[in-house]
Amino acid sequence: MITSVKQISLLKPDDWHLHVRDGKILKGVLSHTADVFCRAIIMPNLDPPITTLNQAKEYKKRIIQSIPDGVSFTPLMTAYLTDDMSPDLLEIGFKERVFHGAKLYPVNVTTNSAYGVTDLSKIDNIFETMERIGMPLLIHGEVSDSNIDVFDREAVFIERHLQPLLKKFSSLKVVLEHITTIDAIDFVENSESDIAATITPHHLHINRNAMFNGGLRSDFYCLPTAKREIHRIALRQAATSGKPCFFLGTDSAPHTRRFKENSCGCAGIFNAPFALESYLKVFEEEQALDRFEAFASINGANFYGLPLNDERITLVKRDVSVPEIIDVGLAGDPNDFVKPFHSGEILGWSLESV
Ligand code: DOR
Ligand code: ZN
């Protein structure tokens, strides 16, 4: 609900797609999300990936231990699907609320996806079980086929794999993650299936030119990659449309400088530190501030069948400077710092109270 154009108050939001990593970096990364969001769907693409109940429980414990003092935050764990994942394990995990969804990475499609699914038809038993128990399937919707142009991989995935999958499993609950194209928007909006999509802040701000602006800029390289400007404009319309099938998922994916400034730079944009401010800039520019609460705090919870948060937050129209670089608690070597999205920019909204 908007109280004035200078201030916006909303139910505390959730992040429905987040990478917090593990080990030494976890604490320094997590605080940026836990300080603002109530819950987050945690991606399981660690190395090795989260494929068992025990791994998920242990990872959840490490996350909870890393939450800043006095902050209330709930990590919602997910399972990483492999060719030989057991449907029974998924069913137990979902019923015991250890897993809130299962993530499908087509093999070799992105960071730590080497254990991903090699052929969707090999895991029909998984889809059958998930459809029966109503467990959300979270999809990295790109083909990993090197013969397909990198900018076409999302559209081709939808046509070759997602459409047939939903034809076969028409009641499967699906989140198409971090959508980047008009093709994905159209598919989600017009599907008769139980499908929704998350949209990242970066795909609302940048198009593919950002990666090639005066040189090769790996800071803007993520997967799926940003696409042409027409897609970015359509994504802004979808995100600000108020439609329940679109909701917030940052895909914040930190990589330290040494892995970004590399001849083979990693995919991923660390947007967690100013995610809300970043989204709000878009909603303000699109004159849709009144729809921000639905996108950030309501649609996702409803889709996952979880209660809405009851705390509220307020953001005020006040400039905030985004630091060039963020220390995530590693050794102190600048190569171990992480560059945030909007690095060095000034954003027009700031958090008033949490
Ligand atoms: O840009 C990305 N980074 N896309 C993904 O799918 C994975 C993520 C990561 O884990 O770094
Ligand atoms: Zn991701």
Side-chain angles (χ1 to χ4, degrees):
M1 191 188 83
I2 296 186
T3 48
S4 90
V5 285
K6 299 277 175 222
Q7 175 168 315
I8 175 168
S9 154
L10 65 155
L11 290 177
K12 209 169 167 189
D14 303 303
D15 186 347
W16 299 100
H17 182 129
L18 179 69
H19 300 266
V20 291
R21 313 304 190 204
D22 203 357
K24 285 188 190 153
I25 197 175
L26 170 58
K27 198 170 182 166
V29 162
L30 181 72
S31 64
H32 296 282
T33 296
D35 282 344
V36 182
F37 291 90
C38 221
R39 300 169 286 200
I41 285 278
I42 306 295
M43 286 298 121
N45 64 331
L46 303 184
D47 189 10
I50 304 296
T51 55
T52 69
L53 294 174
N54 211 33
Q55 283 172 320
K57 286 179 188 168
E58 291 298 315
Y59 185 30
K60 183 173 180 176
K61 255 191 229 162
R62 295 194 293 279
I63 295 174
I64 288 174
Q65 281 161 3
S66 306
I67 297 171
D69 289 345
V71 169
S72 151
F73 173 77
T74 306
L76 306 172
M77 310 311 289
T78 57
Y80 180 113
L81 294 181
T82 60
D83 284 353
D84 42 35
M85 167 65 77
S86 140
D88 292 345
L89 183 148
L90 278 188
E91 184 163 357
I92 294 167
F94 186 60
K95 290 193 168 152
E96 289 184 358
R97 323 272 306 149
V98 176
F99 295 134
H100 288 265
K103 176 77 188 229
L104 168 64
Y105 288 105
V107 69
N108 295 331
V109 77
T110 187
T111 310
N112 294 343
S113 59
Y115 305 89
V117 175
T118 58
D119 177 353
L120 295 202
S121 67
K122 287 190 181 164
I123 59 164
D124 271 1
N125 55 351
I126 294 284
F127 298 136
E128 269 159 30
T129 298
M130 293 182 69
E131 181 179 49
R132 176 170 53 76
I133 64 178
M135 182 176 191
L137 174 69
L138 320 181
I139 301 183
H140 184 115
E142 288 191 288
V143 289
S144 45
D145 183 340
S146 59
N147 294 320
I148 305 293
D149 188 286
V150 73
F151 297 106
D152 294 335
R153 289 182 189 174
E154 183 173 277
V156 171
F157 179 87
I158 291 169
E159 194 189 321
R160 282 195 194 163
H161 301 292
L162 187 54
Q163 260 170 350
L165 179 72
L166 292 177
K167 222 174 192 171
K168 207 160 170 187
F169 301 98
S170 59
S171 303
L172 192 60
K173 201 171 175 64
V174 168
V175 184
L176 188 54
E177 307 270 26
H178 42 52
I179 57 169
T180 60
T181 56
I182 294 171
D183 313 64
I185 296 167
D186 285 350
F187 185 78
V188 170
E189 277 182 341
N190 298 316
S191 173
E192 283 168 12
S193 300
D194 193 3
I195 183 167
T198 53
I199 303 180
T200 75
H202 42 278
H203 290 114
L204 299 173
H205 282 280
I206 60 168
N207 63 31
R208 63 191 194 176
N209 285 348
M211 285 182 287
F212 309 105
N213 185 9
L216 196 53
R217 294 183 181 265
S218 63
D219 292 323
F220 298 109
Y221 173 54
C222 62
L223 286 169
T225 58
K227 306 295 192 299
R228 287 178 184 275
E229 180 64 359
I230 49 166
H231 296 284
R232 185 182 77 95
I233 291 169
L235 286 166
R236 288 168 71 101
Q237 283 162 0
T240 58
S241 67
K243 293 186 181 169
C245 58
F246 299 117
F247 48 84
L248 187 157
T250 62
D251 196 14
S252 180
H255 293 280
T256 56
R257 300 313 296 150
R258 78 176 72 247
F259 293 104
K260 274 298 211 182
E261 292 177 8
N262 189 301
S263 62
C264 185
C266 290
I269 295 181
F270 182 43
N271 59 36
F274 294 87
L276 277 193
E277 295 86 340
S278 177
Y279 280 119
L280 264 182
K281 181 168 169 28
V282 173
F283 276 72
E284 184 176 37
E285 286 165 359
E286 298 296 328
Q287 299 179 357
L289 285 175
D290 57 332
R291 301 200 179 129
F292 187 59
E293 186 178 43
F295 178 77
S297 318
I298 297 174
N299 297 348
N302 286 345
F303 187 83
Y304 275 87
L306 294 171
L308 300 185
N309 300 319
D310 42 25
E311 278 176 78
R312 301 186 72 78
I313 58 164
T314 301
L315 290 113
V316 292
K317 194 128 180 40
R318 185 181 59 217
D319 284 354
V320 61
S321 300
V322 179
E324 295 280 346
I325 205 87
I326 289 185
D327 179 353
V328 286
L330 295 175
D333 178 336
N335 281 321
D336 289 324
F337 288 13
V338 183
K339 200 183 242 199
F341 186 48
H342 296 296
S343 164
E345 291 176 30
I346 292 177
L347 296 173
W349 289 89
S350 311
L351 217 56
E352 183 68 308
S353 55
V354 179

